[in-house]
Amino acid sequence: MNLDYRERIDKVIAYIEEHSSQPLKLDTLAEISHFSKFHFSRIFTAMVGVTPMAFVNRKRIQHSLVLLTETNKTILEVAGQSGFESVSVFNAHFKRYYGCTPGR
């Protein structure tokens, strides 16, 4: 992949890292990269190794772990502040990544 593609994807990654607690859509990420949605998804996956939304969820889960271990926030608060639309979605992603529930 050329340097221009790397710069575009890096710009999207920086955006995700800054805004992971907010709703993020594939269309928005593609706009930031100046690729079509489908081309962006293919390029991002090829360069990063996971789909854009899997990357977003991984960043959210990593952030949630910090909140769970370093604050006294409830699981509901952590889920919301990490960008998950519901506690059940948060629980499912957390368990997929860490093999246990966030309450543990």
Side-chain angles (χ1 to χ4, degrees), residues 19-66:
H19 299 91
S20 66
S21 63
Q22 300 169 4
L24 295 174
K25 297 191 184 308
L26 188 59
D27 290 336
T28 304
L29 301 178
E31 285 177 24
I32 292 166
S33 71
H34 302 286
F35 289 126
S36 73
K37 179 170 64 172
F38 301 106
H39 191 61
F40 164 69
S41 188
R42 285 191 299 273
I43 296 299
F44 188 97
T45 303
M47 295 181 91
V48 178
V50 295
T51 67
M53 297 319 292
F55 184 83
V56 167
N57 287 326
R58 184 173 64 200
K59 288 296 178 185
R60 288 176 173 168
I61 287 296
Q62 290 169 344
H63 177 69
S64 74
L65 186 60
V66 171

Side-chain angles (χ1 to χ4, degrees), residues 5 29 42 50 71 82 91 100:
Y5 279 22
L29 301 178
R42 285 191 299 273
V50 295
T71 70
S82 298
N91 285 337
C100 63

Side-chain angles (χ1 to χ4, degrees), residues 12 26 39 55-56 67 75 86 91 96 101:
V12 172
L26 188 59
H39 191 61
F55 184 83
V56 167
L67 292 175
I75 292 173
S86 72
N91 285 337
R96 185 177 310 129
T101 63

